[in-house]
Amino acid sequence: MLPTIRSRCQPLLFSSLPTEVVAELLEAEDAGDVATCLDVARLSDGSLDTARLLLQPGLRELRAEVQRQLASRPFDWVTASTVLLKQIEEIDSAPAAQRETAVWLIRFAADFLRQALRPEGARSDAVQDFQRQHPPTSDLATDRTTLAIDRCVNASGQLHQSMPVPMCLESLFSDISRVLRGDLLTV
Protein backbone atom coordinates (compact mmCIF):
# COMPACT_ATOMS: atom_id res chain seq x y z
CA MET A 1 0.00 0.00 0.00
CA LEU A 2 1.34 3.42 -0.87
CA PRO A 3 2.40 5.58 2.10
CA THR A 4 0.04 8.37 1.00
CA ILE A 5 -2.92 6.03 1.14
CA ARG A 6 -1.79 4.36 4.36
CA SER A 7 -1.48 7.76 6.07
CA ARG A 8 -5.17 8.40 5.40
CA CYS A 9 -6.27 5.05 6.79
CA GLN A 10 -7.37 4.40 10.31
CA PRO A 11 -6.68 1.03 11.95
CA LEU A 12 -9.77 -0.87 12.97
CA LEU A 13 -9.15 -3.62 15.49
CA PHE A 14 -11.56 -6.47 16.10
CA SER A 15 -11.78 -8.49 19.27
CA SER A 16 -11.71 -12.27 19.29
CA LEU A 17 -14.98 -14.09 18.87
CA PRO A 18 -16.39 -15.87 21.91
CA THR A 19 -15.86 -19.64 21.88
CA GLU A 20 -19.59 -20.29 21.61
CA VAL A 21 -19.90 -18.06 18.53
CA VAL A 22 -17.00 -19.80 16.78
CA ALA A 23 -18.61 -23.17 17.59
CA GLU A 24 -21.98 -22.01 16.23
CA LEU A 25 -20.39 -20.74 13.00
CA LEU A 26 -18.56 -24.04 12.53
CA GLU A 27 -21.80 -25.95 13.11
CA ALA A 28 -23.56 -23.74 10.55
CA GLU A 29 -20.84 -24.72 8.05
CA ASP A 30 -21.41 -28.42 8.85
CA ALA A 31 -17.79 -28.66 10.00
CA GLY A 32 -18.53 -31.40 12.51
CA ASP A 33 -20.71 -32.44 15.42
CA VAL A 34 -21.45 -30.09 18.32
CA ALA A 35 -18.74 -31.52 20.60
CA THR A 36 -16.05 -31.33 17.91
CA CYS A 37 -16.97 -27.77 16.97
CA LEU A 38 -16.93 -26.64 20.61
CA ASP A 39 -13.62 -28.40 21.25
CA VAL A 40 -11.96 -26.81 18.21
CA ALA A 41 -13.48 -23.41 19.01
CA ARG A 42 -11.94 -23.57 22.49
CA LEU A 43 -8.47 -24.00 20.97
CA SER A 44 -8.96 -21.36 18.26
CA ASP A 45 -8.48 -18.28 20.46
CA GLY A 46 -11.61 -16.73 18.97
CA SER A 47 -10.49 -17.05 15.35
CA LEU A 48 -12.78 -18.76 12.86
CA ASP A 49 -9.86 -19.23 10.44
CA THR A 50 -7.81 -20.95 13.14
CA ALA A 51 -10.77 -23.16 14.01
CA ARG A 52 -11.10 -24.20 10.36
CA LEU A 53 -7.38 -24.97 10.28
CA LEU A 54 -7.72 -27.17 13.38
CA LEU A 55 -10.43 -29.19 11.63
CA GLN A 56 -8.01 -30.32 8.91
CA PRO A 57 -7.46 -34.09 9.10
CA GLY A 58 -3.69 -33.85 9.60
CA LEU A 59 -3.93 -31.62 12.67
CA ARG A 60 -6.87 -33.57 14.08
CA GLU A 61 -4.91 -36.81 13.80
CA LEU A 62 -1.83 -35.16 15.31
CA ARG A 63 -3.84 -33.93 18.29
CA ALA A 64 -5.35 -37.37 18.85
CA GLU A 65 -1.89 -38.96 18.69
CA VAL A 66 -0.47 -36.43 21.17
CA GLN A 67 -3.27 -37.37 23.56
CA ARG A 68 -2.69 -41.10 23.05
CA GLN A 69 1.02 -40.76 23.66
CA LEU A 70 0.66 -38.65 26.81
CA ALA A 71 -1.97 -41.02 28.21
CA SER A 72 0.10 -44.14 27.52
CA ARG A 73 1.21 -46.13 30.50
CA PRO A 74 4.04 -45.64 31.17
CA PHE A 75 4.80 -42.59 29.04
CA ASP A 76 7.58 -43.57 26.63
CA TRP A 77 9.25 -40.39 25.42
CA VAL A 78 11.29 -42.16 22.72
CA THR A 79 8.20 -43.67 21.11
CA ALA A 80 6.27 -40.41 21.46
CA SER A 81 9.06 -38.42 19.80
CA THR A 82 9.47 -40.90 16.96
CA VAL A 83 5.76 -41.28 16.22
CA LEU A 84 4.96 -37.58 16.45
CA LEU A 85 7.96 -36.44 14.41
CA LYS A 86 6.97 -38.90 11.69
CA GLN A 87 3.43 -37.56 11.75
CA ILE A 88 4.70 -33.97 11.41
CA GLU A 89 6.76 -35.00 8.37
CA GLU A 90 3.69 -36.66 6.82
CA ILE A 91 1.62 -33.50 7.23
CA ASP A 92 4.13 -31.35 5.33
CA SER A 93 7.72 -31.78 4.16
CA ALA A 94 8.62 -28.07 4.14
CA PRO A 95 10.73 -27.08 7.18
CA ALA A 96 8.73 -23.90 7.88
CA ALA A 97 5.45 -25.82 7.79
CA GLN A 98 6.91 -28.53 10.04
CA ARG A 99 7.93 -25.87 12.56
CA GLU A 100 4.40 -24.45 12.52
CA THR A 101 2.94 -27.94 12.97
CA ALA A 102 5.36 -28.59 15.85
CA VAL A 103 4.08 -25.41 17.54
CA TRP A 104 0.55 -26.86 17.25
CA LEU A 105 1.78 -30.19 18.64
CA ILE A 106 3.19 -28.46 21.72
CA ARG A 107 -0.01 -26.47 22.11
CA PHE A 108 -2.03 -29.71 21.93
CA ALA A 109 0.20 -31.25 24.62
CA ALA A 110 -0.19 -28.24 26.93
CA ASP A 111 -3.96 -28.20 26.39
CA PHE A 112 -4.18 -31.92 27.17
CA LEU A 113 -2.20 -31.44 30.39
CA ARG A 114 -4.39 -28.46 31.40
CA GLN A 115 -7.49 -30.58 30.90
CA ALA A 116 -5.92 -33.26 33.10
CA LEU A 117 -5.65 -30.75 35.94
CA ARG A 118 -9.44 -30.33 36.05
CA PRO A 119 -10.94 -32.87 38.44
CA GLU A 120 -14.43 -32.58 36.92
CA GLY A 121 -16.12 -31.79 33.64
CA ALA A 122 -16.25 -33.31 30.17
CA ARG A 123 -13.02 -35.13 29.47
CA SER A 124 -11.79 -37.42 26.74
CA ASP A 125 -10.92 -41.04 27.43
CA ALA A 126 -7.23 -40.15 27.06
CA VAL A 127 -7.49 -37.44 29.73
CA GLN A 128 -9.27 -39.87 32.05
CA ASP A 129 -6.51 -42.46 31.47
CA PHE A 130 -3.90 -39.83 32.31
CA GLN A 131 -5.82 -38.80 35.43
CA ARG A 132 -5.88 -42.38 36.67
CA GLN A 133 -2.08 -42.34 36.60
CA HIS A 134 -1.75 -38.73 37.83
CA PRO A 135 -4.87 -37.86 39.87
CA PRO A 136 -5.67 -34.12 39.86
CA THR A 137 -6.63 -34.41 43.53
CA SER A 138 -3.04 -35.32 44.45
CA ASP A 139 -0.83 -32.30 45.15
CA LEU A 140 2.25 -34.14 43.90
CA ALA A 141 0.58 -35.18 40.63
CA THR A 142 -0.75 -31.64 40.15
CA ASP A 143 2.73 -30.18 40.68
CA ARG A 144 4.20 -32.62 38.18
CA THR A 145 1.52 -31.90 35.59
CA THR A 146 2.01 -28.15 36.07
CA LEU A 147 5.77 -28.56 35.55
CA ALA A 148 5.05 -30.49 32.35
CA ILE A 149 2.87 -27.59 31.14
CA ASP A 150 5.69 -25.15 31.96
CA ARG A 151 8.05 -27.30 29.92
CA CYS A 152 5.62 -27.08 26.96
CA VAL A 153 5.68 -23.29 27.21
CA ASN A 154 9.49 -23.33 27.22
CA ALA A 155 9.58 -25.65 24.20
CA SER A 156 7.28 -23.34 22.26
CA GLY A 157 9.68 -20.48 22.94
CA GLN A 158 12.60 -22.62 21.82
CA LEU A 159 10.88 -23.34 18.51
CA HIS A 160 10.31 -19.61 17.99
CA GLN A 161 14.04 -19.12 18.57
CA SER A 162 14.81 -21.54 15.71
CA MET A 163 15.77 -24.63 17.70
CA PRO A 164 15.63 -27.67 15.38
CA VAL A 165 12.21 -29.31 15.57
CA PRO A 166 13.44 -32.87 16.29
CA MET A 167 15.78 -31.70 19.05
CA CYS A 168 13.09 -29.54 20.62
CA LEU A 169 10.46 -32.29 20.65
CA GLU A 170 12.83 -35.01 21.87
CA SER A 171 13.98 -32.75 24.70
CA LEU A 172 10.39 -31.81 25.55
CA PHE A 173 9.14 -35.38 25.74
CA SER A 174 12.22 -36.55 27.63
CA ASP A 175 11.65 -33.82 30.23
CA ILE A 176 7.91 -34.54 30.46
CA SER A 177 8.72 -38.21 31.07
CA ARG A 178 11.18 -37.30 33.82
CA VAL A 179 8.74 -34.81 35.39
CA LEU A 180 5.87 -37.31 35.45
CA ARG A 181 8.10 -39.97 37.01
CA GLY A 182 9.27 -37.48 39.62
CA ASP A 183 12.89 -37.52 38.46
CA LEU A 184 12.93 -33.85 37.48
CA LEU A 185 11.75 -31.33 40.05
CA THR A 186 12.33 -28.13 38.10
CA VAL A 187 12.30 -27.39 34.41
Side-chain angles (χ1 to χ4, degrees):
M1 187 180 293
L2 294 173
T4 54
I5 295 173
R6 190 174 37 233
S7 70
R8 288 168 178 80
C9 294
Q10 183 173 349
L12 185 59
L13 303 175
F14 294 93
S15 62
S16 301
L17 295 171
T19 300
E20 296 76 20
V21 171
V22 173
E24 289 173 13
L25 291 170
L26 290 173
E27 287 177 56
E29 295 175 358
D30 288 328
D33 59 49
V34 175
T36 300
C37 291
L38 191 57
D39 191 40
V40 167
R42 186 179 52 77
L43 280 174
S44 73
D45 292 332
S47 167
L48 187 56
D49 288 338
T50 301
R52 289 178 184 134
L53 175 73
L54 291 169
L55 286 169
Q56 292 179 355
L59 284 179
R60 289 179 72 180
E61 291 168 18
L62 181 65
R63 184 172 180 217
E65 188 60 39
V66 167
Q67 292 179 354
R68 274 192 296 276
Q69 292 297 326
L70 287 172
S72 65
R73 189 177 200 158
F75 176 65
D76 179 3
W77 72 270
V78 175
T79 302
S81 298
T82 304
V83 168
L84 293 169
L85 280 169
K86 183 179 178 193
Q87 206 162 358
I88 286 174
E89 291 168 359
E90 289 173 358
I91 291 172
D92 202 319
S93 61
Q98 287 181 357
R99 182 171 299 281
E100 186 177 321
T101 304
V103 169
W104 278 114
L105 183 152
I106 293 170
R107 193 163 169 196
F108 295 153
D111 179 66
F112 174 85
L113 294 165
R114 280 189 202 100
Q115 288 181 49
L117 286 174
R118 294 186 206 124
E120 297 178 15
R123 297 179 305 264
S124 68
D125 292 340
V127 170
Q128 290 177 17
D129 290 344
F130 183 89
Q131 287 179 329
R132 280 191 275 285
Q133 299 172 63
H134 311 281
T137 54
S138 161
D139 289 342
L140 184 58
T142 299
D143 289 346
R144 290 177 180 172
T145 304
T146 302
L147 281 173
I149 293 169
D150 288 344
R151 184 59 186 91
C152 289
V153 172
N154 291 341
S156 184
Q158 291 167 339
L159 277 180
H160 289 298
Q161 295 173 352
S162 299
M163 182 179 198
V165 171
M167 183 185 298
C168 183
L169 294 181
E170 288 168 1
S171 174
L172 169 65
F173 290 124
S174 171
D175 287 350
I176 287 176
S177 175
R178 292 170 45 202
V179 165
L180 295 178
R181 284 193 321 260
D183 294 346
L184 187 62
L185 299 177
T186 59
V187 183

